Structure formats: structure tokens, C-alpha cells
Amino acid sequence: MSQLQLPKSFNLVFFGGTGDLVTRKLLPGMYQCDRNGQLVRDGRIYCLGRQDLTQEMYLAKIEEKAREFIPKADWNDGVWSAFLSRLQYVRVDAGEPAQYAVLKEVLERNPAEVNVFFLSVAPSFFTTVCDNLARQGLSRANCRVVLEKPLGHDLASSNAITEAVGKHYRENQIYRIDHYLGKESVQNLMALRFGNALFEPLWRREWISNVQITIAEEVGIGSRGGFYEGTGALRDMVQNHLLQLLCFVAMEPPVSLDSNAIRDEKLKVLESLIPFTEEDVFKKTVRGQYRAGTSRGKPAVAYVEEAGIPADSKTETFVAIKAEIANWRWAGVPFYLFTGKRLPTRLAEIVINFRDVPHQIFPLAPGAAGAPAKLVIRLQPDEYIRLYLYAKQPGDTMELQPVYLDLNFAGAFKTNTRRAEGYERLLLDIIRGNQSLFVRQDELEQAWRWVEPILNTWAADPAGPKLYAAGTWGPAASAELLSRDGFCWHDED
Ligand code: NDP
Ligand code: BG6
């Protein structure tokens, strides 16, 4: 997936260089790449913003943030100051066409093989920025544009962005980020499925009863109220991260690691998702919003009491969905998607539940009923694979108890203890020109097409989201979504 070499020189331009994403994730990510010796010497980083800052003021600002977000063990004064020598702050108002001349002039001083424009600004700027870059000739074949999610708020607005960006950049120049695809654990899912023959014969409707995909967050919305209120969990997490995980679980083996080979297979999964009617939305989805409760033993306010959120907000902070795929491999197998903020813990995992034996001859130990074989793929915070099986409980009965085979990646790969953050891998891939881990336009469109009926039905439903106490696992209705089908959510403990 990353066989391509880095070019000899590159210019990486961050629009939104003073913003949260750049200072908290992207610059620390680039520092880590530099520390690992993964950046070429002639690689420069330009951070753009409107603020009247000198170079010194900007560097001081990002250092303060970096010290907070780069683990102490990874901090090296020498590497940090060498990293800073790559950086330049450039004052540009993205909405002012004339100011792009400054950017062009700066870039011309360092003609590089590759120019990357990373648009870490609100999506409402995407069209303006691309138009203005193109006016300066900054859309040539050596230029790449990186778009952060959310890409629109529905199908029409997403298509409008596609059209506007597509006027100046070809698909092979456009990198749509879903940072989940940069996670080692998500790439490992491909390795598990397609690097081993073991699971393939079982990876189908004949042997799998249901699949559960969870991204749970302990945090609330923090200081992102302005963004979140207009977005909600369906657009923020399901339309992208959860559907991408579903694609990796359900896709057919790609013919190679070529970016289009992988994305072709993911697209087929998205196209096979059964669309929701209005009735389905009421039956197969649950939306929730956190009310006051406790988080890590401390009182946590309700969503509607967070900064910038109206008291009558109907924005969902929790979603559970029963999705189904209409194809030969998966017909009749429910894929339950689950995500929420202010849940008891932070975790992301995929649970593949295998069918039970057709006729059980063994008695089950108390509490062991309903726990047939399952494969648990924990993506974060720790990374492991557990295969649950029934085994005979020691003693003079034949009672069975679930036990698991455990593969913990931290222990398995002792030589490389630090697992790279998603953005590190993705930034390097953009510079290398490798699109495998980026979302193609047709995937994006299909994902919006599938979530849109849910968004529309919810918007028209006066009932609003069901409330759940902060620090709990969401509305009770999400458990009912599974129990109606005779299943229950996997609970590790
Ligand atoms: P912030 O609000 O923290 O930063 C916004 C940035 O936009 C600032 O650097 C600001 O610069 C810049 N900006 C605003 N107006 C202009 C303008 N007219 N010209 C030039 N720059 C401008 O946002 P985030 O960093 O949180 O998010 C950036 C993007 O990334 C958004 O699309 C967001 O949805 C997405 N995203 C963010 C995530 C996160 O964790 N933060 C996660 C996933 C996606 P200045 O004020 O200096 O001009
Ligand atoms: C982002 C969402 O895309 O993913 C955030 O906008 C969410 O709301 C975050 O908190 C979760 O990412 P991770 O990598 O911490 O699981």
C-alpha cells in the first residue's frame, strides 16, 4: 500500500495553520515523521492563517500546543528545532483572491516536485480556496488537494463540493481524509482477512450470524459545539468512519493493493447496502442525546448545557443502526453500527459473531448461554484480536464455558513499540501520492446516498433523540434493536 517513494522535495501547505486540527494533530504528526527520519531534507511546511503573527510568535504558539500533544518520551529538542526550520507562517485570508499571490511567490522560492494543499478549514471554504489556487496556476499536475471531513452535510452539498473542486483538480489529485483509514489497526483488518486463508471460508452468511461495529467515546463535544450542533453523530461518525469500517469487514478480496482495486471493492459494499424507507428508520435506527450524568467519576453536563448548544437542540450524540447488505456473501446478516459520545469508556471494536452449533450436546455453565464463537477485533485504545470459543470447564462435568485465544499486537511486535497515529501515515501517503487509504468520490457519494433517508426522517420526526445519562451506554432502545433479533451487544467484561 505504501511502496511508493517520497519525492525528493515537497511543499506542504496547511490552510487553517492556526486551527485546532493543524496544531493538535497534523504538526505533531509531521514532527513524528521527521523524528523517524521519514521526511526528505527538502520538505517544507507552510502554515496559513489570517492572524497577524510574526514567525517567532507562530512557532511559540505551536510549540506550546506540541508539548501538550507529543508524548514526553517522543520529545527531542534537537529534532524539534530541526523540524521548526522546515516551517513558515504565511498570512493569507483564504477568502481574498489577491492574497494568494503571496502564497504563489513563497512557493516559487522553493519550486518543489510536489505541492500539497491541505484544507484544514471549514468546508464552506473549499470552493473558494480551490478557485483561488487555480487562479494562481496552483492546480497543475504536481499539486494535490486534501479535503477534511465532513464533506458536505448531505448528498447535494457534497456533490457541490465535488463539482467545484473537480473543476480544477482531477480525482488522482484529490485526497479525502478519513483518519480511521490511517490507523494501524484498521489496516491490520485487511491483513487479517486477506493475508490469511483461515477465516475466508467462514467469512460469510453461512457461518456468521451478525456483525457489531462500535466506536464509543468517553468525551463529550468539548469546545466543538459550533461544529457539532450542525452535524450530529450520524454525519460526524457513521457516514464516514463506521461505514468505512463496515466496508473493510464486508468487502470481497481486492485483486491487489492498488488504490483503485481496494476502493472498487469498498464501493460495491456501499452500493449493496439496503436503502432505508421511512418505516425502516423508525424500526432499525436509534438516536440519542446525552443528558447530565457522570464521566470518570465527575459530574458531566447535558449536551444542551454545553457551550453554544441551544436548550431545545435535537442533535444526536448517539446512534445505533441495523444495516443490511444485499449480496451473496451477506444477505440476511445484520451489521449493527454503534457510536456515541459520553459513553462509559473509549473503545473501537468489531465483533464477528459466528453461528452456534446446530445441535448442542454439552450443558453450558451458568452464564455461558448465548455466547457462541466470536472474533473480537479491538481497534483502540489497545489493539488485539480475541477468538472466543467454548471449552470444557475443569471438573467432573462436561459443562462448557467461553474462553478466548488472545493476540495482543503490542506484545507481538516488540521491535516497534510506538504505533503511528492515523494522520502520520496519511500525510506521508499524500506526499508519496498513494490514494489507497483515501475515500474516492463515488464512495463518498454512495455513503451520503445511504445516510440521507435517515437524516431526512429524523429531521421530520418531532420526537427527537432519546435521552441517556452521560456515562452510560446510550438509550435502552439500542439493546432492543439487537434483542428483537435474538442477539445482544458484545460485552468484554
Ligand atoms: P478551527 O476552528 O480550530 O480552525 C479553523 C482555521 O480556519 C483557523 O486556522 C483559522 O485561521 C482558519 N480560517 C478561518 N477563516 C479563514 C479565512 N478566511 N482565511 C484563512 N483561514 C481561515 O477548526 P479545526 O482545526 O478544528 O478544523 C478544521 C477542519 O478540519 C474543519 O473542516 C473540521 O470540520 C475538520 N476536522 C477537524 C477535526 C478536529 O479534531 N479539530 C477532526 C476532523 C475534521 P485564523 O483564525 O488564523 O485565520
Ligand atoms: C472525528 C470526529 O472525525 O473523529 C470527532 O469529528 C471524534 O467527533 C473523532 O471525536 C474520533 O476519532 P478517534 O481517532 O479519537 O477515535
Side-chain angles (χ1 to χ4, degrees):
M1 264 165 143
S2 61
Q3 290 83 354
L4 293 166
Q5 296 293 312
L6 281 181
K8 289 205 176 64
S9 60
F10 66 84
N11 290 324
L12 172 58
V13 179
F14 287 125
F15 284 84
T18 51
D20 175 71
L21 185 64
V22 172
T23 55
R24 189 169 56 88
K25 292 269 189 192
L26 303 178
L27 289 176
M30 286 302 281
Y31 162 82
Q32 295 284 12
C33 296
D34 210 0
R35 193 173 78 94
N36 295 340
Q38 290 166 297
L39 299 185
V40 289
R41 212 180 41 178
D42 198 7
R44 299 188 181 279
I45 304 172
Y46 299 96
C47 298
L48 273 48
R50 287 169 305 176
Q51 297 173 36
D52 187 10
L53 300 172
T54 62
Q55 170 81 352
E56 289 67 35
M57 284 156 79
Y58 180 72
L59 296 186
K61 191 179 161 85
I62 60 161
E63 177 158 339
E64 198 186 323
K65 220 35 191 284
R67 284 191 183 271
E68 200 182 324
F69 290 101
I70 295 173
K72 274 202 174 61
D74 297 343
W75 187 271
N76 177 311
D77 284 333
V79 177
W80 177 253
S81 56
F83 176 66
L84 289 191
S85 66
R86 298 177 181 277
L87 255 70
Q88 187 181 336
Y89 178 67
V90 187
R91 197 173 165 201
V92 172
D93 185 325
E96 294 295 328
Q99 297 190 13
Y100 285 69
V102 178
L103 176 62
K104 189 180 183 201
E105 196 187 305
V106 169
L107 293 180
E108 273 173 356
R109 260 182 259 148
N110 184 54
E113 284 168 65
V114 171
N115 288 323
V116 173
F117 300 106
F118 195 124
L119 276 49
S120 180
V121 285
S124 52
F125 277 113
F126 289 175
T127 306
T128 314
V129 173
C130 291
D131 285 348
N132 287 330
L133 286 171
R135 250 182 228 124
Q136 300 291 338
L138 295 172
S139 56
R140 284 190 290 267
N142 70 334
C143 295
R144 294 174 193 158
V145 60
V146 186
L147 306 178
E148 252 303 340
K149 65 168 269 284
L151 280 146
H153 56 271
D154 58 12
L155 180 60
S157 56
S158 169
N159 284 346
I161 293 174
T162 300
E163 199 186 319
V165 177
K167 265 195 220 152
H168 309 298
Y169 298 92
R170 290 169 184 273
E171 184 62 29
N172 67 3
Q173 294 174 281
I174 304 172
Y175 290 72
R176 296 178 192 83
I177 291 240
D178 181 317
H179 77 276
Y180 264 69
L181 303 195
K183 291 181 191 273
E184 280 280 349
S185 52
V186 176
Q187 293 150 38
N188 228 336
L189 186 55
M190 290 248 291
L192 174 77
R193 283 201 58 201
F194 307 128
N196 300 285
L198 182 67
F199 292 113
E200 175 54 22
L202 306 178
W203 212 263
R204 57 194 64 250
R205 62 189 301 281
E206 288 81 357
W207 298 105
I208 293 177
S209 65
N210 70 95
V211 176
Q212 300 172 9
I213 307 180
T214 299
I215 304 180
E217 295 189 272
E218 195 174 12
V219 292
I221 54 153
S223 57
R224 295 176 76 210
F227 157 77
Y228 201 86
E229 176 56 13
T231 306
L234 189 69
R235 291 185 179 95
D236 189 38
M237 300 297 288
V238 179
Q239 189 271 346
N240 29 70
H241 306 322
L242 277 155
L243 283 186
Q244 285 291 324
L245 292 181
L246 179 146
C247 285
F248 280 110
V249 174
M251 70 199 259
E252 294 301 316
V255 290
S256 71
L257 287 179
D258 171 75
S259 26
N260 278 329
I262 295 171
R263 299 187 297 177
D264 286 347
E265 296 306 335
K266 286 196 288 159
L267 176 66
K268 285 183 207 159
V269 175
L270 292 167
E271 285 173 340
S272 312
L273 280 169
I274 300 181
F276 277 35
T277 61
E278 207 177 284
E279 198 190 337
D280 289 333
V281 175
F282 289 110
K283 273 211 245 150
K284 299 179 185 174
T285 74
V286 176
R287 61 177 163 150
Q289 185 189 80
Y290 61 83
R291 58 179 168 78
T294 49
S295 182
R296 293 197 173 178
K298 291 196 181 129
V301 298
Y303 174 73
V304 292
E305 289 160 349
E306 302 272 18
I309 307 301
D312 59 353
S313 169
K314 285 191 178 158
T315 299
E316 78 286 355
T317 60
F318 172 97
V319 177
I321 296 183
K322 175 183 172 181
E324 285 164 287
I325 298 173
N327 66 18
W328 276 41
R329 191 187 280 265
W330 294 117
V333 178
F335 281 68
Y336 300 102
L337 311 179
F338 180 101
T339 187
K341 294 207 186 274
R342 280 279 182 248
L343 301 183
T345 191
R346 173 178 185 253
L347 72 87
E349 73 183 9
I350 295 165
V351 180
I352 312 290
N353 283 297
F354 293 98
R355 294 193 188 280
D356 213 343
V357 292
H359 171 61
Q360 184 59 275
I361 56 169
F362 298 100
L364 299 178
K374 63 177 95 176
L375 185 70
V376 177
I377 305 164
R378 176 66 69 91
L379 307 172
Q380 64 185 33
D382 35 359
E383 204 185 325
Y384 60 73
I385 294 177
R386 284 184 182 166
L387 179 60
Y388 282 77
L389 301 164
Y390 277 134
K392 181 191 166 300
Q393 190 166 262
D396 62 357
T397 71
M398 285 304 286
E399 283 184 348
L400 302 188
Q401 203 42 283
V403 289
Y404 59 77
L405 298 166
D406 197 6
L407 170 59
N408 192 311
F409 288 101
F413 294 102
K414 292 188 187 70
T415 47
N416 181 10
T417 45
R418 184 180 169 273
R419 309 289 278 171
E421 290 274 334
Y423 276 111
E424 294 168 38
R425 168 67 195 267
L426 296 177
L427 284 161
L428 288 173
D429 274 356
I430 296 162
I431 299 168
R432 286 182 191 120
N434 177 9
Q435 289 190 307
S436 321
L437 299 176
F438 296 85
V439 179
R440 208 169 55 190
Q441 186 273 328
D442 44 11
E443 286 180 80
L444 172 74
E445 190 176 331
Q446 196 56 39
W448 275 120
R449 194 165 283 131
W450 187 73
V451 298
E452 206 168 58
I454 309 176
L455 286 170
N456 293 343
T457 307
W458 283 355
D461 174 20
K466 294 183 177 9
L467 296 181
Y468 62 98
T472 65
W473 283 108
S478 85
E480 287 157 23
L481 197 64
L482 278 83
S483 61
R484 273 205 305 266
D485 295 337
F487 306 127
C488 58
W489 289 109
H490 168 70
D491 180 0
E492 198 68 5
D493 307 313

